[in-house]
Amino acid sequence: MANTKCHEGRRGLAVLLPERHGDDCCAEHAGGDHSADPHGHAATPMASHHRRVVFIGNPNVGKSSMFNAILGARARVMNAPGTTVLLERGDYRYDDQTWDLIDTPGTYSLLPLSPDEQVAAQAAIGNDGNAEPDLIVATLDATNIARSLYFLAMILELGRPTVVALTMNDLAAKNGAEVDPKALSRALSGVPVVQVDGRTGRGTARLMQVINESFAGTPMPAGLHPVDPQEVDVKQWVEGRADERFDWAACVIADINLEDRERSTFSDRIDRVLLHPVGGIVVFLAVMFLVFQATTWLAGPAQDWIDGDVRDWITGGIDQVFALFGPDAADGWLHGLLVDGLLDGIVTVLTFIPPMGIMFILLSLLEDSGYLARAAFVMDRAMRLVGLDGRAFLPIVVGFGCNLPALAATRTLPDSRQRVLTGMLIPFSSCSARLSVYLVLAYAFFREQAGLVVFGMYVFSIVLILAVGILLRKVKFHSLEPEPFAMSLPPYQCPRLLVLVKSVLARLWGFIRGASSIIVTMIVIVWVLQGIPATASAGSFGDVEDVHESVYGVVADAIAPVFKPAGFDDWHASAALMTGFVAKEVVVGSLSQSYAIDTGDETEAEEGSGSLGTAIANSFEESSGGHGKAAAIAFLLFTLAYTPCLATVAELKRQYGGKIAAQTVGLGLVTAYILAVVAFQLLRLII
């Protein structure tokens, strides 16, 4: 094939570059087996145990769906060594062999621009402490073959055995641009090409068979030149051969007779609405409203059922077992430990499953359908205020429903630094559990303006997120600067039910396995502290009638003076805040318990207007020296900003590690204390 013919068929970004002459990129593609390494040594069979297979590809090409279809529940999430970048990996058995499969973050180049892309490049190249891969699975998007081929060229130049997984070919066929895997393989000089549908798992068995056949080596296509990845300067190599790769990709496209069709696709027609400067924002806000409602309203009845009926059933079963040992057996400390300690912890974990499950379902639907990428594009400009891009908006909005599923939503962010920053900001989103505290204190102190006070707390939450985000960028995330936001918009498609269910169940199990032990342990510890009498007249272990006379009450008394500058140095308030560390939902219940007031089935407004509100008002008036309203606002601000619930802390630790979780807890406490003190000291001069 002549050079001039090749350049007439140039596609994608290649048409913007000057033509290069002298390289016979369109030489016969079937020529030569280039399975030797860059130094010319012949390929030798690999060891048959624990071969390392790295999956790599551009973002949104279906790579992770394909990976999960292969491994299923055997896939496990982990951090790349020394980073917060999430990887999926797992062992795969093929005959008598065990392969180590690794799914890397999506990347457009082996010259990284972010920690995620750096991890992907290191895994493919095998440097910086990463073992060299025995084989690379390069995932190509058939709907954007030109860009995918340019990336494939870099992978092939590494000289590793390579298998091409061709995804989204069904969508390309609908647009009249289907890629023939056999023709593509011939154009690649015999590099194996397997068509795979990650949503259904179709083609994965054939892919694994081809991988097994390709460990000994695969050809190096004509027009590309192998490098020694351990000796080459990556920046010079990637940038220096860019034109050659574009020309090569254009030749491959010409060889497979694939022409770009200037036609309006189904995705293009929908995008005219969803990416519209006005209509797109309206649709996005509507979608966010539905997500918010689903994680609060839909999950609410299920949570109430677990916290009510399920708890009663299990408690009844425990009571029946204890009844076998006599009528007084249920009055001992062991019964209290099981029911009010261990069972309470288990039920707390179970109550988080409905919102987490709903959020995982919605995230999968939004991501698999292709809408999540559009949402990021629409909200990108607003999120740049804190150094994030539009994809970070979804988790923060979800955080106003519940912080826990919001942290799960950060997994959709491609940059690990963005995930950590967003995760540290989410606890400042005023979750629905805090609303009960707002309502009780608002009606206790500001009955006529209660609604305005509650609304003000949510507005202040948004301001606080922006302020803390800007502070974190300057102090901790120096390198996270706003960059031009470029991403591939995947075509719209219908998510597959079976794959979605498997993914949701795997994520839920990961949460239960990672967070349950921390939550249950801490709740048991709180019960033990409340059950240890601190005075001779307090009662016996597990039977302390007045919580103030327990070790828990003594600790609350010791902590209370810390809040004197904020106006609420009262043990009732400090005890409630301690309990709120476990779950914000129980703050009001803790106040009722410490004041020995039975609120029954009263609403938050009735509690705030009734005897509980009166008791709180009297305590705050006394502790603040007559500035109860100022102290109430300080308490509300502290509740908004301080340590998130225990389940959220456990999820922070599970996703980002203990150091980030500790820093987030510390940041919340310091911010909350400063806000409370400043607010009280200023407001006591005004109200």
Side-chain angles (χ1 to χ4, degrees), residues 650-665:
E651 185 67 5
L652 280 166
K653 181 179 182 298
R654 189 176 75 89
Q655 287 207 38
Y656 312 122
K659 182 179 179 181
I660 295 297
Q663 289 176 348
T664 304
V665 170

Side-chain angles (χ1 to χ4, degrees), residues 39 41 73 105 163 221 293 333 370 436 438 459 504 543 628 660 666 686:
H39 301 291
H41 302 301
V163 173
Q293 296 294 74
W333 65 268
S436 60
Y438 299 162
V459 172
V504 169
D543 188 27
I660 295 297
I686 303 173

Side-chain angles (χ1 to χ4, degrees), residues 129-293:
N130 286 267
E132 296 184 4
D134 295 308
L135 184 141
I136 299 175
V137 177
T139 311
L140 267 62
D141 177 7
T143 64
N144 201 334
I145 194 66
R147 186 195 64 207
S148 295
L149 283 172
Y150 175 81
F151 180 72
L152 175 64
M154 283 184 281
I155 298 299
L156 291 171
E157 288 175 359
L158 294 175
R160 312 283 189 205
T162 303
V163 173
V164 173
L166 185 65
T167 62
M168 301 190 185
N169 210 17
D170 54 337
L171 299 176
K174 292 179 181 179
N175 297 331
E178 182 178 8
V179 177
D180 182 354
K182 294 182 180 179
L184 179 58
S185 180
R186 288 194 297 270
L188 298 177
S189 303
V191 173
V193 178
V194 181
Q195 182 173 319
V196 179
D197 188 337
R199 295 175 300 154
T200 64
R202 185 180 304 165
T204 54
R206 173 60 182 163
L207 175 64
M208 305 315 285
Q209 178 184 347
V210 172
I211 289 174
N212 182 58
E213 297 168 353
S214 304
F215 282 116
T218 53
M220 176 66 67
L224 298 180
H225 307 285
V227 299
D228 185 344
Q230 304 304 327
E231 297 181 2
V232 71
D233 182 288
V234 175
K235 178 178 174 59
Q236 183 179 2
W237 162 59
V238 171
E239 294 180 347
R241 296 188 182 180
D243 287 354
E244 296 177 24
R245 296 190 197 99
F246 280 125
D247 289 345
W248 174 81
C251 293
V252 172
I253 291 175
D255 273 8
I256 61 177
N257 298 317
L258 187 67
E259 298 178 358
D260 280 335
R261 309 290 178 87
E262 293 295 332
R263 51 181 288 182
S264 178
T265 65
F266 175 71
S267 295
D268 293 333
R269 293 191 291 272
I270 297 180
D271 283 344
R272 292 192 187 113
V273 176
L274 298 187
L275 298 182
H276 189 273
V278 177
I281 294 178
V282 172
V283 173
F284 174 74
L285 293 177
V287 171
M288 291 302 98
F289 175 78
L290 293 176
V291 170
F292 180 84
Q293 296 294 74

